[in-house]
Amino acid sequence: KYYEICGEAIERHSGRLDKFIGDGIMAIFDKKKYIEENSRNAIKAAKEISSKMHDFNRQMKTDFSEELKLGMGVHAGSTIVGLMGYGSTISETAVGDNVNIASRLETLTKDFECELVLSKYVVDKSGLNSDNLPSESVKLRGKADDFEIVPIKSVTELVFLET
């Protein structure tokens, strides 16, 4: 059910499932021509996933006395996208520094006890209303300079500026 919730939200907002990594999902939002649209779609998918996972967790709590924790990271930028692998294990994927950054942002959701960590770059490109959103400067593994992030406690409350 978790994979279904995430997959449907990703696809509904012009993203595509890239791979499942344990209980994690990597999605790529590159179907639109402009980074602004792709950034906005990634955040819209995160909002839908958050909302539907809250509903799902109410049922999980009733049935199993447990709930799933949610952590998402979103970053944007140039990557290498294509068929990769060897032999019968070839699939289309994305690699590069920006993919690694997105993964590290997802990991930061545990430190910030939040559902979503966005790069400041994605916030700026997406047209998200950031007036009341906290920004932080963090060190990311493999990066010499501090990196600007926006940790989001409750994704469902995000609002876009009119464009």
Side-chain angles (χ1 to χ4, degrees), residues 54-93:
H54 285 285
D55 293 340
F56 179 61
N57 269 333
R58 279 192 282 281
Q59 186 62 46
M60 288 283 294
K61 192 83 167 163
T62 300
D63 293 346
F64 301 106
S65 300
E66 293 290 332
E67 53 186 31
L68 297 175
K69 296 212 185 307
L70 182 65
M72 298 174 280
V74 179
H75 184 53
S78 298
T79 60
I80 299 167
V81 179
L83 294 174
M84 295 178 209
Y86 176 75
S88 62
T89 312
I90 293 177
S91 63
E92 185 177 33
T93 193

Side-chain angles (χ1 to χ4, degrees), residues 1-145:
K1 184 69 179 168
Y2 157 72
Y3 292 119
E4 178 183 340
I5 288 168
C6 295
E8 286 178 354
I10 289 163
E11 290 178 352
R12 188 175 354 276
H13 296 287
S14 301
R16 57 190 165 98
L17 295 164
D18 181 71
K19 64 177 61 84
F20 298 99
I21 308 160
D23 62 354
I25 297 172
M26 180 172 148
I28 300 171
F29 291 83
D30 64 353
K31 290 184 179 177
K32 300 296 181 179
K33 184 175 181 179
Y34 298 105
I35 196 167
E36 292 82 0
E37 291 176 277
N38 290 321
S39 295
R40 181 181 287 259
N41 285 336
I43 295 170
K44 285 180 178 180
K47 280 183 71 165
E48 183 176 328
I49 290 167
S50 174
S51 175
K52 291 192 174 179
M53 286 302 296
H54 285 285
D55 293 340
F56 179 61
N57 269 333
R58 279 192 282 281
Q59 186 62 46
M60 288 283 294
K61 192 83 167 163
T62 300
D63 293 346
F64 301 106
S65 300
E66 293 290 332
E67 53 186 31
L68 297 175
K69 296 212 185 307
L70 182 65
M72 298 174 280
V74 179
H75 184 53
S78 298
T79 60
I80 299 167
V81 179
L83 294 174
M84 295 178 209
Y86 176 75
S88 62
T89 312
I90 293 177
S91 63
E92 185 177 33
T93 193
V95 296
D97 193 43
N98 289 313
V99 174
N100 295 335
I101 290 171
S103 175
R104 290 185 178 106
L105 297 183
E106 181 272 329
T107 300
L108 286 175
T109 62
K110 295 171 188 77
D111 297 336
F112 284 90
E113 297 179 351
C114 62
E115 291 182 339
L116 175 65
V117 174
L118 300 169
S119 66
K120 181 73 167 81
Y121 180 73
V122 164
V123 170
D124 293 343
K125 291 294 182 185
S126 69
L128 194 61
N129 183 352
S130 61
D131 291 344
N132 296 316
L133 297 179
S135 66
E136 300 276 343
S137 187
V138 297
K139 286 280 187 205
L140 292 181
R141 185 170 44 93
K143 305 303 276 177
D145 296 328

